[in-house]
Amino acid sequence: MRIGHGYDVHAFEPGDHVTLGGVRMAHTQGAKAHSDGDVVLHALCDALLGALGLGDIGQHFPDSDPRWKDANSRVFLCHCAQLLREHHYRLVNADITVLAEAPRLGTHRAQMRANIAADLETTPDRINIKATTSEGLGALGRGEGLAAHAVVLLAHAENGNHGHDHGRSHHRHGR
Ligand code: MG
């Protein structure tokens, strides 16, 4: 098993939407970013890369590279999924926290989980998305941007535990 953590933040700029978890949401501002500014997917990618010991998203997708200008961040997540396969790891679960005064995730949450699960070839029950405000404190609290934390747990395909929390078919020790 390997654990990874990721964090990302983007400031707001004039705009009419933000993209979180691959879902475009109407908002009074946009995320200032080289790519689509999806803090959820950027934090998640960093968590996955961290768990694999493969550095960070900036090393894999430099923002100086014109290929990633306005990039759909699901491309980054699919790249991480490919790295997981190459290293014979699979996602046990991901827990993501969005820090923003607005927008509220509300009904978008299910689609965010579905997008992430699809890209990581798993099921939405393994992807949790939480949200919190900063209670008006600091830059995020003043609504100057938004941020996300992500924590992931990976299981190696060869250790007999395929990441099924309740599976017993590979249980070696009995109980
Ligand atoms: Mg970012």
Side-chain angles (χ1 to χ4, degrees), residues 108-161:
H108 296 301
R109 213 180 292 223
Q111 189 60 50
M112 294 168 70
R113 295 176 79 190
N115 289 347
I116 292 166
D119 292 346
L120 295 179
E121 299 174 321
T122 187
T123 48
D125 61 294
R126 293 178 183 274
I127 313 296
N128 191 64
I129 298 176
K130 310 191 296 293
T132 183
T133 70
S134 298
E135 298 289 342
L137 296 171
L140 293 174
R142 290 190 295 272
E144 296 175 7
L146 72 179
H149 288 276
V151 175
V152 300
L153 187 67
L154 306 182
H156 200 267
E158 292 168 8
N159 73 359
N161 176 352

Side-chain angles (χ1 to χ4, degrees), residues 8-28:
D8 193 39
V9 59
H10 282 274
F12 282 134
E13 65 178 9
D16 62 4
H17 73 279
V18 295
T19 304
L20 293 172
V23 179
R24 184 185 169 112
M25 313 178 187
H27 188 50
T28 53

Side-chain angles (χ1 to χ4, degrees), residues 16-149:
D16 62 4
H17 73 279
V18 295
T19 304
L20 293 172
V23 179
R24 184 185 169 112
M25 313 178 187
H27 188 50
T28 53
Q29 300 172 95
K32 184 179 180 183
H34 186 70
S35 67
D36 62 7
D38 191 326
V39 291
V40 167
L41 298 191
H42 295 180
L44 179 58
C45 286
D46 261 355
L48 292 165
L49 293 170
L52 290 169
L54 293 176
D56 63 42
I57 193 171
Q59 294 173 270
H60 292 259
F61 301 99
D63 61 11
S64 55
D65 189 330
R67 276 183 301 169
W68 314 127
K69 176 100 178 74
D70 300 322
N72 179 339
S73 294
R74 292 184 71 180
V75 171
F76 305 158
L77 186 58
C78 289
H79 172 78
C80 292
Q82 175 65 30
L83 291 172
L84 245 65
R85 282 193 296 275
E86 289 173 6
H87 289 78
H88 307 293
Y89 276 94
R90 67 196 305 284
L91 182 75
V92 176
N93 71 306
D95 190 18
I96 297 162
T97 303
V98 178
L99 296 94
E101 302 303 301
R104 293 294 161 105
L105 303 184
T107 55
H108 296 301
R109 213 180 292 223
Q111 189 60 50
M112 294 168 70
R113 295 176 79 190
N115 289 347
I116 292 166
D119 292 346
L120 295 179
E121 299 174 321
T122 187
T123 48
D125 61 294
R126 293 178 183 274
I127 313 296
N128 191 64
I129 298 176
K130 310 191 296 293
T132 183
T133 70
S134 298
E135 298 289 342
L137 296 171
L140 293 174
R142 290 190 295 272
E144 296 175 7
L146 72 179
H149 288 276

